[in-house]
Amino acid sequence: MSSTMIISQPQPVMVSQTSNEWGSGICDCFQDVPECCFAYWCCPCFACKISRDYGEPLCLPLLEIFGGIIPPITMSMRVSMRHRYGIKGNLCTDCVYSTFCTSCTWCQMSREMKKRNIQVVLVSAKNS
């Protein structure tokens, strides 16, 4: 008579802590100094990197040179991110930040993507 013993380890529990607020303020650049320096010294390159990481075309932010006073790509990316992550806010605030704090807006979006990007790791698998 053969018997099989199955031992089951406790499984990890993923706790999702989502908020309807931005994870950092518009001027919290000291949370990620290297990225903020990159954004300050070469905002178009930084914006293209963040756009690609967000799932949009790499060179999309470069279209802002045709935009006029209000940067349309920065503003639309900020609105899109608010909607994707369920962050409360309004179009007026998005417009003001995008127009007068462009580099800081891209930095804030970068920090938010890092905070909200939860990697799923398969710890163990059992063949049936």
Side-chain angles (χ1 to χ4, degrees):
M1 174 178 190
S2 147
S3 63
T4 304
M5 180 185 290
I6 299 174
I7 299 174
S8 178
Q9 296 288 329
Q11 298 299 312
V13 177
M14 186 167 83
V15 178
S16 176
Q17 296 179 342
T18 58
S19 171
N20 64 350
E21 299 287 334
W22 286 96
S24 61
I26 193 76
C27 294
D28 287 343
C29 290
F30 290 110
Q31 288 186 3
D32 196 342
V33 175
E35 283 212 338
C36 286
C37 287
F38 180 23
Y40 178 77
W41 293 108
C42 190
C43 190
C45 296
F46 184 75
C48 288
K49 175 191 170 297
I50 299 307
S51 177
R52 182 201 60 211
D53 294 347
Y54 190 66
E56 295 296 330
L58 174 68
C59 295
L60 182 66
L62 298 179
L63 294 175
E64 287 192 338
I65 60 174
F66 303 112
I69 297 171
I70 299 171
I73 306 302
T74 302
M75 190 172 86
S76 61
M77 287 283 289
R78 184 177 166 86
V79 170
S80 173
M81 191 167 290
R82 274 195 314 101
H83 287 196
R84 179 181 287 183
Y85 296 136
I87 299 170
K88 66 181 181 180
N90 57 54
L91 197 56
C92 182
T93 304
D94 295 331
C95 183
V96 169
Y97 286 161
S98 298
T99 303
F100 298 108
C101 307
T102 305
S103 295
C104 293
T105 299
W106 283 103
C107 286
Q108 183 186 36
M109 290 190 291
S110 173
R111 291 189 303 270
E112 197 66 30
M113 286 170 40
K114 286 180 181 179
K115 286 183 180 185
R116 305 254 182 175
N117 186 18
I118 300 171
Q119 296 292 328
V120 176
V121 179
L122 185 60
V123 177
S124 65
K126 181 173 31 172
N127 290 336
S128 298

